[in-house]
Structure formats: C-alpha cells, structure tokens
C-alpha cells in the first residue's frame, strides 16, 4: 500500500510514515521533477519496511532467548 502511494503521491507516502523532515525534502524533490521525489519516497518506504522487519525479528529473538 505504501509503495503504491509513493507512486501516486510521493510526499504523502513519506509523511504518513511519520517523517516530517523527510517529507519536506521529498516535497522539494517532487516539485523539481517527479522522478527524484519518487525515488526518494521509494527509498524511505523501503527503509521503513526494513526497520519494521528488523524490529519484529529482534523481538522474536529476545522472546526465544527468554524461553531457553
């Protein structure tokens, strides 16, 4: 869903992730040309998804260590 939103409206995708400073940068990039804003938004969305996946893995690892 976030990736689709990044294609439709890159600044909105970044702002919905809770990153206002990145959203401002993305707004400027999108106003210059669409492509730099799109690439930046896809990068921010990808980084956000990676961080969430890593947090989940770390939580599962800590649960497993407590159980052992």
């Amino acid at each position: 869903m976030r990736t689709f939103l990044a294609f439709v409206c890159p600044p909105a995708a970044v702002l919905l992730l809770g990153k206002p400073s990145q959203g401002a940068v993305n707004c400027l990039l999108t106003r210059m040309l669409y492509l730099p804003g799109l690439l930046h938004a896809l990068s921010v969305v990808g980084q956000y998804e990676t961080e969430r996946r890593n947090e989940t893995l770390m939580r599962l690892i800590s649960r497993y260590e407590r159980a052992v």
Side-chain angles (χ1 to χ4, degrees):
M1 177 67 180
R2 291 178 187 97
T3 304
F4 175 73
L5 186 58
F7 278 103
V8 175
C9 183
V14 176
L15 287 171
L16 286 176
L17 297 177
K19 300 181 183 252
S21 61
Q22 291 288 330
V25 169
N26 190 275
C27 197
L28 291 173
L29 288 171
T30 303
R31 283 186 180 264
M32 284 193 291
L33 288 174
Y34 178 75
L35 187 60
L38 173 65
L39 295 176
H40 179 259
L42 290 174
S43 172
V44 172
V45 168
Q47 182 181 11
Y48 175 80
E49 291 174 354
T50 300
E51 288 172 1
R52 283 191 59 199
R53 183 174 45 245
N54 288 344
E55 288 173 5
T56 302
L57 288 172
M58 293 303 292
R59 198 173 329 113
L60 290 172
I61 289 170
S62 66
R63 284 185 195 168
Y64 175 76
E65 289 176 347
R66 284 188 232 146
V68 173

